[in-house]
Amino acid sequence: YIISYVGEFIMNFLFIQTINSIYDIVWGLELLGHNVTIFEQTQFDPNNSIESDNIAFSNFLYSNKYNFVISYLFIPAISDCCFKLNIPYISITYDSPLVSLFTNSIYHNTNYTFIFDRMECERLQRLNIPHIYHLPLAVNLERVGALDITTQDERLYSHDISFVGNLYEDNFYNESIGFFPENLQLSLKLYLTKHLCDWTSLRQWPCLSDECVNFMKATFDFANWNPTDFLSDSNFFGILLLSRKLCEMERITILNYLSQYYKVDFYTNSTSKFLNNVNLHTGVDYYTVMNKIFYLSKINLNITLPSIESGIPQRVLDIMGSGGFVLTNYQPEIEEVFEIGKDIEVFHTLEELYEKCSYYLTHEKERLTIAMNGYIKIRNNFSYNRLLKKIISTVQEELQ
């Protein structure tokens, strides 16, 4: 190794692109002074292995020297190759559940897997999988801070309440519910009714009955649909069937509820006939326009995908890192790192959501103070500089 100007080792990283990959890892590592090569040949899908891509990667890795391979999400094929060549593989997970984590490749001792959702992390730790760590996500403050807000931006994106996201209307529940017998339909609808817009307690992954699982396998030829090695069919099909449907229902309910009282602007590529009086806009670019909306909106909503059990979604941190005020449904890990009412605001019910929108739309000083406090907390504790230093030091300690 070569000693860098900060007295730390300069290391060589190989960054693996995933489908819809962002590149903040590359940015952060280079700012720390490390050398980063991007594997350009393909973008990997963690849940769909393509043998020709795997061979190309294996040949490339064998012919070059790297201290670490690193990626967003966990890619079993990359893990398998790194294990064969005894090269540490670092992955950072921002989605839950990530199905690929529940495959046998996760047991390789060359993996160093960092998961943002504590509940998902603990599920894997209980299985005695090596090198599994809980670590909240981060924001690329250098990229976000480089945005230039113009007068035209102020005209276009200065909203009272905005939400950027999808409705997940293309979900398996909508496609399949008509095939279920009446008694099973009732049980599924009871689950959705029970949990709709209620964040007062932890919502664990849905668990289907054996009767429901057996019906799905027999009706939809689901015998080989669960690609995991140790995630139960009950959980896998429960998440597949119910989590995105519950998200669709919650997002439509919230947007329609608030639009009765306030101006609500929704940026999305989704389509729905169930939205009323909501100002619809097409989806926006993650790297540029999205952060302008966060900065210029008085209130930025976050409505978490229900399959994220306890963790803080990337969207919450992105809003705060842009200097925006965020109002999010409650997630248990929020109060572990933020002070609610000082750095961030949350709601547990629709009634509380309405009350807090009403308050913060009419109390600008309090709203801006929370937005500033949130930004400072992100700057001091959730930068990519800090995240990557933590990851590298953790892996180095394990390797000693």
Side-chain angles (χ1 to χ4, degrees):
Y1 295 128
I2 302 170
I3 302 297
S4 73
Y5 72 96
V6 291
E8 298 177 349
F9 293 122
I10 292 178
M11 289 173 285
N12 297 316
F13 286 83
L14 178 62
F15 176 74
I16 306 303
Q17 302 175 93
T18 50
I19 300 295
N20 300 320
S21 188
I22 60 175
Y23 295 87
D24 289 337
I25 287 177
V26 176
W27 189 314
L29 287 172
E30 290 184 341
L31 285 176
L32 289 174
H34 299 296
N35 300 317
V36 187
T37 300
I38 299 174
F39 184 69
E40 301 278 5
Q41 282 87 328
T42 189
Q43 294 183 336
F44 285 85
D45 181 346
N47 301 319
N48 183 24
S49 181
I50 299 175
E51 188 61 25
S52 59
D53 291 341
N54 301 340
I55 293 171
F57 170 75
S58 179
N59 291 338
F60 183 88
L61 190 60
Y62 182 80
S63 303
N64 296 274
K65 293 185 181 297
Y66 296 99
N67 302 106
F68 303 103
V69 174
I70 190 168
S71 73
Y72 289 107
L73 307 177
F74 175 78
I75 310 167
I78 301 299
S79 173
D80 293 344
C81 183
C82 289
F83 176 68
K84 291 176 183 176
L85 297 177
N86 196 32
I87 297 173
Y89 170 45
I90 299 168
S91 60
I92 303 172
T93 294
Y94 56 79
D95 197 9
S96 179
L98 179 62
V99 170
S100 61
L101 290 172
F102 295 84
T103 59
N104 288 330
S105 297
I106 196 67
Y107 277 97
H108 295 324
N109 61 11
T110 46
N111 296 329
Y112 297 86
T113 311
F114 295 84
I115 300 172
F116 82 106
D117 186 277
R118 186 187 302 279
M119 292 289 291
E120 185 173 34
C121 181
E122 290 177 352
R123 288 174 188 270
L124 293 164
Q125 289 173 335
R126 287 194 292 269
L127 297 170
N128 296 318
I129 295 169
H131 307 147
I132 297 285
Y133 313 94
H134 171 250
L135 187 64
L137 298 168
V139 180
N140 184 344
L141 293 170
E142 287 77 13
R143 173 173 60 78
V144 173
L147 290 176
D148 179 26
I149 305 292
T150 66
T151 54
Q152 183 181 18
D153 293 331
E154 292 178 349
R155 179 178 59 82
L156 291 174
Y157 307 125
S158 295
H159 304 307
D160 285 347
I161 300 174
S162 68
F163 177 60
V164 182
N166 295 315
L167 293 178
Y168 294 107
E169 74 278 15
D170 295 326
N171 57 72
F172 186 74
Y173 181 97
N174 288 345
E175 296 173 0
S176 65
I177 190 62
F179 295 97
F180 283 78
E182 187 173 336
N183 67 311
L184 294 182
Q185 284 195 33
L186 179 60
S187 67
L188 297 172
K189 291 174 181 178
L190 285 174
Y191 172 89
L192 295 170
T193 302
K194 177 181 177 181
H195 292 91
L196 181 65
C197 294
D198 180 7
W199 298 274
T200 55
S201 59
L202 178 70
R203 294 193 292 191
Q204 296 183 316
W205 290 344
C207 188
L208 295 187
S209 66
D210 290 342
E211 182 182 6
C212 195
V213 170
N214 291 335
F215 171 81
M216 292 176 70
K217 287 183 175 181
T219 305
F220 304 113
D221 191 25
F222 268 19
N224 299 312
W225 270 47
N226 183 351
T228 72
D229 294 306
F230 46 86
L231 184 63
S232 70
D233 285 345
S234 178
N235 271 146
F236 177 81
F237 293 124
I239 295 165
L240 174 70
L241 188 61
L242 293 170
S243 290
R244 293 197 171 201
K245 179 58 181 178
L246 182 58
C247 188
E248 177 198 18
M249 293 171 63
E250 288 183 335
R251 292 183 175 188
I252 290 173
T253 299
I254 285 174
L255 293 171
N256 283 340
Y257 178 70
L258 291 178
S259 68
Q260 296 177 80
Y261 310 101
Y262 313 110
K263 290 179 60 179
V264 177
D265 287 81
F266 178 30
Y267 290 84
T268 186
N269 292 320
S270 295
T271 58
S272 176
K273 60 184 178 182
F274 299 110
L275 290 174
N276 297 311
N277 203 35
V278 177
N279 299 319
L280 290 174
H281 311 269
T282 56
V284 292
D285 182 73
Y286 177 82
Y287 289 99
T288 54
V289 176
M290 184 179 294
N291 295 300
K292 294 181 180 182
I293 295 169
F294 296 158
Y295 179 77
L296 292 169
S297 296
K298 292 178 181 178
I299 294 176
N300 294 280
L301 295 176
N302 174 69
I303 309 164
T304 305
L305 186 65
S307 58
I308 300 175
E309 294 176 284
S310 65
I312 306 173
Q314 183 69 58
R315 180 58 46 82
V316 170
L317 302 180
D318 284 343
I319 294 169
M320 298 172 74
S322 301
F325 175 89
V326 61
L327 180 55
T328 177
N329 64 277
Y330 176 77
Q331 291 285 108
E333 291 183 45
I334 288 177
E335 55 188 345
E336 295 178 14
V337 294
F338 298 121
E339 187 174 339
I340 295 172
K342 180 181 178 182
D343 307 317
I344 191 172
E345 264 297 2
V346 305
F347 57 91
H348 300 78
T349 63
L350 281 177
E351 292 75 17
E352 187 178 14
L353 171 63
Y354 168 79
E355 292 168 1
K356 291 194 173 180
C357 284
S358 178
Y359 181 83
Y360 285 109
L361 286 175
T362 56
H363 290 75
E364 184 176 26
K365 180 180 178 182
E366 290 87 343
R367 186 184 73 246
L368 293 177
T369 298
I370 289 174
M372 180 56 67
N373 289 339
Y375 173 78
I376 293 171
K377 185 67 69 74
I378 294 293
R379 185 189 65 192
N380 292 341
N381 298 287
F382 295 92
S383 67
Y384 258 86
N385 182 295
R386 190 179 183 92
L387 174 85
L388 291 168
K389 282 184 175 180
K390 173 68 173 176
I391 287 173
I392 292 168
S393 66
T394 298
V395 176
Q396 287 180 321
E397 287 176 9
E398 294 282 1
L399 289 171
Q400 288 178 356

